[in-house]
Amino acid sequence: MTQGESWGGYPKAAQTFRNVRDRHAALSLPPDGTALAFGNGRSYGDVCLNDGGTLLGMRGLDRFISFDAETGVLECEAGVLLADIIDIALPKGWFLPVTPGTKFVTVGGAIANDVHGKNHHREGTFGRHVLAFELLRSDGGRRVCSAGENADLFATTIGGLGLTGVVTWARLQLKRMGSAFLAGEQIKFGGLNEFFALSEASAATHEYVVSWIDCLARGASLGRGLFMRANALSADEAAARGAKAPIVLPLAMPLTPPISLVNGLTLRAFNAAYFYRQRTREAARLWHYGAFHYPLDAISNWNRIYGPKGFLQYQCVVPARDQRAVSEALLKEISRSGQGSFLVVFKVFGETTSPGLLSFPMAGTTLALDFPIKGATTFALLDRLDAIVCEAGGRIYPAKDARMSVETFRRGYPRLEEFRKFVDPRLGSSFARRVMGTA
Amino acid sequence: MLRIAIFGATSGIAEATARVFAGEGARFFLVARNAVALSDIAADLKVRGASEVLTRAADLGELDALQGICDEAKAGLGEIDVALIAHGVLPDQAACENSVEATRDVLAINTVSPALLMTRLGEILARQGAGSLIVLSSVAGDRGRPSNYVYGASKAALSALGEGMALKLAPQGVNVLVVKPGFVDTKMTADFSKGPLWASARDVGEVIAAAVKAGKRGTLYTPFWWRYIMLVIRFAPGALVRRM
């Protein structure tokens, strides 16, 4: 049976799918070939694929184990979705300490990719809030890993792309959140100098900071965008502002259009309209957490908009040292190409070190955007961006990658050789074979 | 706050149904054979909001114990608002065709055991003068087909029993509901390749929970369009059904 697709729809892979339903059972390995834990298929490229091998479907491990509403410590199986955690924790005053831009990822996937969010400058990555997990290895070993116990497997499994073993359950420290709402401002900025000034000023005052950039703007408008910053509201503050949960319409992209609906024409129009929709420079905003953290989750299968060829998501980080100049170089390259998409995220990461050997974030600036696949020109553009990033000492995010070179990965992740020693010989992925040269 | 007894609580559909009620603070009495899975499910339902979860590890194939277990459920919960009977096996049809023992075992666990539970629970609910008795049957019971008539027969008996009890007990305030799922992706069907007709246990569980809350009785196909598929299959000529 063939099943298992990544969110970008590229590359395609064929693999045998085995559902995992019992966390007490031994690892269900095929007689030969490699296996890979597959969560909810929200990583974009090939870290969740294992072409020619086996995928272990982890969504069947979706039970909670315990939750202490006094301390915010939650234990659950690895296939539980972040959305499910919010459902049970928020009514008791707790929220995810770190969340990516979709809540439809599994806990196991969040650990394997050591995901980050709009509060990276405060809280670092998801892995920093993982207290412990159990790791199953192909030798039959079943180990509880934490900072104090099996610390090497703890550090290699966080951000380890599923290659060090299969996580069966995890213990997480949630974060207090008094209401479902956030308040803050949305501020227009005309260019990169303004963006970096706003980022610096907001880091101390706001927990959540993120920006949208018009990737087609050039010349004097290069680097223009919208800066969003917010703090969670307490129950009293939310009540005082009359915050009400929005009525969410069930929207879906019902089918894959024959061609990408995102092209030069639609994109230029979208971007200009989005930038000018806000009349004033600064606007006070009140957000429901869904609209703030997960705007795209409101549209099921939004990825279909890019048509049957799929899309490439590109996310890089460049070190703080030259972030202004390097960001400008990247934006110029993208703007000149006329490619890119409406969905562009720009953010300054904080200094907090990530717990994983292969974690992506570092102190500096991160840029993320989608590219509909238009063939060789798209791949060539991304190679040019890689060159700029590598030269600056930055790196590319594996969770979103489907095409970086062996060399780009090696340069971006200097601890790769250390990591290799912990790779389970019976586990593998399309990504690992492509950029790490493993089985 | 509903008080719910579930027999075969580790069934994928039963678990999905229980999660809906747990979110509303229900109290549970769960019965299943696998004690580890039972305690995992109990822990999960508590985190999801269940106010209390009582468990009883038991082999529901031991027919003599069933009446006592029903009484324990009643004693543990006080009143039973909802009783869900969900245990069952999907037998190897070919093996049953050549084995009296295999066929007997299937009928014991899929038919006799649920039928005895339905009888006792029907009595208990009628005495309460209220409650819902839900039994998981199957669309396979609507017509005997060469590929799975032993399973189909084992479920057909439950459908007939449930339909009759629904009419009989309605005046006493008891809603008896026969649930007929189509293809559902659970551990029972792990080895099947899944196509567009397949539903998730979660979707089926949500439909069942909604039907219980609406006080539905009689027969519930889920997903609903199986009613029409089975209508066609019931009246299809044997020459066609021979290949199914």
Side-chain angles (χ1 to χ4, degrees):
Chain A
M1 185 194 342
T2 298
Q3 219 175 316
E5 206 177 62
S6 67
W7 194 242
Y10 177 91
K12 306 285 183 212
Q15 47 245 318
T16 308
F17 206 87
R18 293 184 173 211
N19 283 303
V20 178
R21 297 182 196 271
D22 179 4
R23 73 171 185 269
H24 310 289
L27 206 50
S28 161
L29 290 171
D32 44 35
T34 61
L36 179 72
F38 181 89
N40 209 33
R42 293 299 170 120
S43 47
Y44 288 80
D46 57 1
V47 296
C48 67
L49 301 177
N50 191 17
D51 198 17
T54 298
L55 290 182
L56 304 174
M58 300 299 288
R59 283 286 288 123
L61 293 188
D62 67 346
R63 290 180 185 142
F64 290 104
I65 299 168
S66 67
F67 177 52
D68 185 335
E70 298 299 310
T71 61
V73 174
L74 174 101
E75 274 187 358
C76 65
E77 293 181 342
V80 166
L81 296 181
L82 299 189
D84 298 331
I85 295 179
I86 297 172
D87 284 346
I88 63 118
L90 189 54
K92 294 184 170 150
W94 296 92
F95 197 74
L96 300 162
V98 166
T99 178
T102 169
K103 59 183 189 286
F104 299 124
V105 301
T106 61
V107 167
I111 293 172
N113 293 290
D114 197 15
V115 299
H116 57 271
K118 300 175 177 66
N119 62 352
H120 182 273
H121 59 287
R122 290 278 181 89
E123 298 288 356
T125 61
F126 188 85
R128 284 193 69 240
H129 308 272
V130 176
L131 302 174
F133 53 77
E134 181 186 68
L135 191 69
L136 265 186
R137 304 253 305 173
S138 64
D139 61 8
R142 188 180 280 275
R143 295 179 185 80
V144 174
C145 306
S146 66
E149 190 181 354
N150 295 309
D152 45 6
L153 278 172
F154 187 67
T156 42
T157 300
I158 293 175
L161 306 172
L163 300 171
T164 59
V166 173
V167 174
T168 56
W169 59 260
R171 187 181 303 136
L172 312 174
Q173 176 63 59
L174 303 187
K175 185 184 173 73
R176 278 275 178 214
M177 177 140 162
S179 76
F181 299 91
L182 303 104
E185 296 82 38
Q186 183 162 301
I187 305 165
K188 279 163 100 162
F189 57 88
L192 291 177
N193 289 340
E194 247 183 283
F195 165 80
F196 283 106
L198 277 168
S199 291
E200 202 175 324
S202 308
T205 52
H206 290 78
E207 164 150 17
Y208 298 103
V209 175
V210 71
S211 295
W212 167 82
I213 277 208
D214 179 352
C215 68
L216 293 187
R218 52 179 85 183
S221 310
L222 184 87
R224 75 176 179 189
L226 294 168
F227 187 92
M228 279 156 272
R229 59 185 188 193
N231 285 311
L233 294 178
S234 69
D236 290 345
E237 288 166 335
R241 286 163 173 264
K244 283 200 190 72
I247 296 161
V248 179
L249 296 172
L251 299 176
M253 188 71 194
L255 44 81
T256 306
I259 55 162
S260 170
L261 298 183
V262 178
N263 55 49
L265 266 181
T266 58
L267 187 59
R268 213 167 280 280
F270 257 126
N271 281 3
Y274 194 67
F275 183 76
Y276 288 111
R277 192 180 57 167
Q278 180 170 317
R279 300 274 175 77
T280 53
R281 178 177 175 272
E282 183 172 330
R285 292 284 304 267
L286 176 68
W287 287 279
H288 183 258
Y289 77 85
F292 185 79
H293 287 301
Y294 315 115
L296 287 169
D297 283 350
I299 308 163
S300 313
N301 300 115
W302 63 262
N303 53 341
R304 289 178 178 166
I305 195 170
Y306 291 105
K309 284 188 196 162
F311 67 103
L312 296 169
Q313 156 98 192
Y314 186 82
Q315 183 169 358
C316 61
V317 58
V318 294
R321 195 171 7 101
D322 307 318
Q323 57 190 7
R324 164 78 179 74
V326 180
S327 300
E328 183 172 328
L330 290 169
L331 288 174
K332 273 188 177 155
E333 193 64 49
I334 295 165
S335 154
R336 188 159 47 222
S337 77
Q339 299 191 50
S341 77
F342 173 71
L343 303 162
V344 186
V345 175
F346 203 45
K347 172 169 175 64
V348 175
F349 281 150
E351 302 279 342
T352 321
T353 46
S354 306
L357 240 59
L358 295 191
S359 292
F360 161 71
M362 62 163 85
T365 298
T366 185
L367 171 68
L369 68 168
D370 295 345
F371 292 92
I373 296 179
K374 291 183 184 166
T377 56
T378 310
F379 288 87
L381 167 65
L382 299 192
D383 286 344
R384 292 199 299 279
L385 299 181
D386 278 2
I388 297 170
V389 171
C390 276
E391 191 56 37
R395 54 170 75 130
I396 311 298
Y397 192 11
K400 305 200 168 172
D401 180 69
R403 32 66 49 199
M404 80 168 113
S405 70
V406 172
E407 181 63 9
T408 301
F409 186 67
R410 192 189 58 76
R411 286 177 68 183
Y413 293 85
R415 300 185 75 180
L416 176 60
E417 291 313 313
E418 250 176 284
F419 173 81
R420 281 187 201 283
K421 289 175 241 157
F422 295 91
V423 171
D424 188 309
R426 292 301 311 280
L427 302 180
S429 70
S430 294
F431 179 87
R433 284 187 292 275
R434 182 167 62 77
V435 304
M436 294 187 199
T438 65
Chain B
M1 182 212 313
L2 288 175
R3 292 153 295 188
I4 302 174
I6 304 182
F7 301 82
T10 54
S11 119
I13 294 175
E15 188 177 357
T17 310
R19 285 182 180 183
V20 178
F21 289 115
E24 296 159 9
R27 284 178 63 212
F28 291 95
F29 185 93
L30 306 180
V31 187
R33 191 176 40 185
N34 183 335
V36 174
L38 199 53
S39 85
D40 286 350
I41 291 170
D44 175 71
L45 294 177
K46 274 187 224 159
V47 174
R48 290 178 193 269
S51 50
E52 188 184 16
V53 186
L54 305 169
T55 59
R56 169 74 152 85
D59 182 346
L60 294 170
E62 303 208 350
L63 304 177
D64 293 339
L66 297 180
Q67 177 160 332
I69 295 171
C70 292
D71 296 344
E72 280 177 46
K74 164 77 177 164
L77 294 174
E79 299 269 285
I80 299 175
D81 299 307
V82 181
L84 169 62
I85 301 171
H87 59 292
V89 294
L90 185 62
D92 178 342
Q93 168 71 23
C96 290
E97 285 167 20
N98 300 306
S99 164
V100 169
E101 289 79 17
T103 302
R104 182 196 58 200
D105 291 348
V106 171
L107 293 178
I109 194 69
N110 276 16
T111 310
V112 181
S113 167
L116 300 187
L117 290 171
M118 288 167 77
T119 304
R120 183 60 177 172
L121 292 165
E123 275 181 68
I124 292 171
L125 299 189
R127 218 178 311 128
Q128 289 177 179
S132 293
L133 174 57
I134 320 297
V135 62
L136 292 194
S137 180
S138 168
V139 294
D142 281 12
R143 176 129 198 212
R145 290 177 295 120
S147 63
N148 72 343
Y149 60 77
V150 174
Y151 179 71
S154 74
K155 292 295 192 181
L158 299 184
S159 301
L161 188 65
E163 280 169 33
M165 286 178 73
L167 297 169
K168 178 84 179 185
L169 295 180
Q172 287 160 268
V174 178
N175 300 318
V176 180
L177 181 65
V178 175
V179 177
K180 296 183 180 177
F183 299 138
V184 185
D185 186 1
T186 64
K187 53 187 179 290
M188 190 169 91
T189 56
D191 298 335
F192 289 68
S193 54
K194 315 287 190 288
L197 291 181
W198 286 75
S200 71
R202 181 181 177 148
D203 289 346
V204 169
E206 283 172 359
V207 169
I208 293 173
V212 170
K213 282 188 262 186
K216 187 170 166 53
R217 57 175 170 256
T219 301
L220 173 73
Y221 285 85
T222 167
F224 71 92
W225 34 262
W226 278 98
R227 173 182 293 279
Y228 307 104
I229 294 181
M230 295 319 295
L231 191 68
V232 172
I233 291 180
R234 264 208 311 282
F235 293 103
L240 216 78
V241 177
R242 194 168 302 142
R243 274 172 284 166
M244 298 170 96

